[in-house]
């Protein structure tokens, strides 16, 4: 038997989405966005020098075919890039009508989203009366704070002092299909926050809101407020049989690393390992040794997106790419014969672009374990098909009962 390691660099798009003009950052269409391509250009121009210096150095990913994938996605002439890749490489295009985490991951796992997500309007209040009423009931309070589109760190700074006084939860949204609830771990209580999110999630899911996210924080007005690592996503379940369902249904171990458990509502998952990205890399390294033959390891490295993409931090994004590349170089030689590693992404988040939203882009598909060949332009669903074929299990099926 063989194993598959499916690694998602959250938001590491490579441009070229044919429908980018239909998706927007504010009033600006995503046309021309290219997360990794533009980061590389900024590094080459000396515009990403905080904590690093010089051109973007990704020798491991480049050997797997990253440069060729970027060129393919953007319609450039790949043969002019120099050394031929030693891995199999391609560029994948999404069909789901979104540029969000659940859409990208579900489709990578073989199940495109068959509906349009519900988004809350950029108005104050953002939530309809019935949602606000449910939030108050679940919290046991006479009101909520926020009730608008907001940056998570900014809204905690703005509403934190009143939250500490009243105990009302801070409820906000964004351009994603999401309702986020922030609360102080001591003043409000972590378990109470999770129970609140759990209580309101079914109604939001019925509305086709993709996620209810618990955003706990600590601190005070004098020292400032800081998010904790205890974030929890309550996501709507995928409507069809995903790669994870198929693997677990065949008796295989399915190891979720990072927020994969939240994205797939823990369905089709054997065990879950969480933490910041450096800890997730340790988990991945452990699983190279521990995962049984025939196992699927599905990992998401979220800090590309949360710490650097949304914050438009080009230097930070470049540093994290170089860190990931160096860590991957340590893992690949330790794989067993027959193992397959697939490195991909779920959407873009171009830190050189306008706004702070995700960007609609193609994503790289870089494979170690399939030999050296061009996979060409693909669909996101082809990633799940590659993984299932390598594992020798039934392919994901969006029409099948999970």
């Amino acid at each position: 038997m063989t194993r598959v390691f499916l690694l998602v660099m959250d938001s590491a798009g490579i441009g070229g989405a044919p429908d980018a003009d239909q998706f927007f950052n504010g009033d600006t269409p995503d046309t021309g966005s290219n997360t990794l391509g533009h980061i590389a250009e900024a590094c080459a121009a000396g515009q990403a020098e905080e904590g690093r210096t010089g051109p973007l150095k990704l020798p491991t990913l480049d050997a797997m075919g990253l440069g060729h994938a970027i060129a393919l996605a953007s319609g450039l002439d790949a043969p002019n890039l120099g050394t031929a890749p030693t891995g199999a490489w391609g560029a994948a295009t999404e069909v789901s009508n979104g540029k969000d985490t659940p859409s990208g991951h579900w489709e990578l796992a073989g199940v495109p989203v068959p509906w349009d997500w519900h988004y809350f309007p950029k108005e104050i209040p953002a939530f309809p009366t019935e949602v606000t009423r449910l939030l108050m009931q679940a919290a046991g309070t006479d009101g909520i704070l926020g009730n608008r589109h907001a940056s998570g760190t900014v809204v905690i700074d703005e509403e934190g002092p009143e939250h500490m006084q009243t105990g009302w939860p801070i409820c906000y949204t964004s351009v994603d299909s999401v309702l986020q609830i922030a609360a102080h771990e001591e003043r409000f209580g972590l378990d109470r926050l999770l129970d609140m999110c759990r209580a309101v999630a079914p109604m939001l899911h019925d509305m086709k809101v993709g996620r209810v996210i618990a955003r706990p924080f600590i601190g005070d007005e004098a020292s400032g407020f800081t998010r904790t690592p205890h974030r929890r996503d309550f996501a709507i379940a995928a409507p069809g049989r995903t790669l994870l369902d198929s693997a677990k249904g065949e008796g295989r171990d399915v190891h979720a690393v990072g927020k994969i458990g939240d994205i797939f509502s823990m369905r089709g998952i054997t065990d879950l390992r969480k933490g910041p990205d450096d800890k997730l890399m340790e988990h991945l390294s452990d699983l190279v040794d521990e995962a049984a033959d025939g196992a699927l390891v599905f990992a998401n490295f979220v800090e590309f997106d949360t710490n650097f993409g949304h914050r438009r931090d080009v230097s930070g994004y470049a540093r994290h790419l170089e860190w990931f590349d160096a860590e991957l170089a340590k893992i690949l030689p330790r794989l067993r014969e027959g193992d397959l590693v697939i490195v991909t992404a779920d959407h873009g988040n171009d830190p050189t672009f306008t706004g702070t939203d995700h960007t609609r882009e193609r994503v790289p598909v870089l494979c170690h374990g399939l030999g050296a060949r061009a996979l060409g332009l693909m669909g996101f669903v082809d990633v799940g098909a590659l993984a299932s074929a390598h594992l020798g299990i039934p392919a994901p099926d969006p029409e099948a009962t999970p």
Side-chain angles (χ1 to χ4, degrees), residues 149-231:
H149 280 240
S151 161
T153 52
V154 172
V155 78
I156 290 171
D157 289 339
E158 293 176 345
E159 303 287 0
E162 187 171 354
H163 169 74
M164 298 298 285
Q165 292 176 7
T166 65
W168 291 6
I170 304 169
C171 304
Y172 62 102
T173 187
S174 70
V175 292
D176 288 340
S177 179
V178 65
L179 191 156
Q180 305 200 58
I181 306 174
H184 197 278
E185 286 197 356
E186 296 171 357
R187 173 67 175 88
F188 191 87
L190 178 59
D191 289 341
R192 182 182 172 197
L193 172 60
L194 297 178
D195 286 343
M196 178 184 176
C197 292
R198 193 176 290 110
V200 304
M203 176 179 175
L204 275 296
H205 293 167
D206 286 344
M207 296 171 60
K208 294 298 183 285
V209 174
R211 289 175 291 167
V212 175
I213 303 179
R215 287 288 198 176
F217 62 93
I218 56 174
D220 53 44
E221 186 173 1
S223 61
F225 299 107
T226 305
R227 286 173 168 175
T228 74
H230 300 135
R231 163 182 170 162

Side-chain angles (χ1 to χ4, degrees), residues 296-312:
L296 170 66
V297 178
F298 197 168
N300 171 283
F301 293 87
V302 72
E303 291 177 14
F304 293 104
D305 187 51
T306 56
N307 290 4
F308 309 115
H310 285 300
R311 299 180 185 182
R312 295 302 187 245

